Amino acid sequence: MPSLVELIQKIAKRAVEEAQPTSIEYGTVVSANPLKISLEQKLTLDSTHLILTNNVKDFEVEMTVDGVRKKYTVHNQLKNGDKVILFRQQGGQKFVVLDKVVTT
């Protein structure tokens, strides 16, 4: 029979696991349009579960080049097969796609 301390530790551990604290996950883009990301073959996320940073989407930026201020498009859109790093928010319902994983 477990001691009182062991029982409290077990209950506390289970409570933390059920609260689904934040974590870092790795995934692969399985569809660019509509966007779907597979998390290590456990789960496939669609756009309703994803929050994209500018590191993984196209966006416009204003820059001054040779004294002329102009808008430019930065092309960072995810493509099929891209490996990404994600931050799972507490509760596990939303994932922030932080960046592409690049291996050299």
Side-chain angles (χ1 to χ4, degrees), residues 13-22 88-92:
K13 181 180 177 192
R14 188 175 304 154
V16 168
E17 288 171 355
E18 289 176 2
Q20 296 183 332
T22 60
R88 182 173 54 103
Q89 293 182 334
Q90 188 163 356

Side-chain angles (χ1 to χ4, degrees), residues 46-104:
D46 61 24
S47 60
T48 61
H49 297 100
L50 299 171
I51 299 168
L52 304 179
T53 64
N54 282 348
N55 292 333
V56 295
K57 67 180 182 178
D58 293 350
F59 67 97
E60 287 189 347
V61 63
E62 283 191 23
M63 295 178 63
T64 302
V65 178
D66 296 328
V68 179
R69 187 177 181 116
K70 189 174 175 184
K71 282 188 180 182
Y72 292 91
T73 301
V74 178
H75 300 282
N76 283 343
Q77 183 175 2
L78 293 171
K79 299 171 192 70
N80 289 356
D82 281 347
K83 306 289 186 201
V84 293
I85 186 167
L86 304 99
F87 176 80
R88 182 173 54 103
Q89 293 182 334
Q90 188 163 356
Q93 297 299 313
K94 292 281 187 178
F95 293 77
V96 179
V97 185
L98 298 172
D99 210 342
K100 296 177 187 179
V101 176
V102 179
T103 56
T104 55

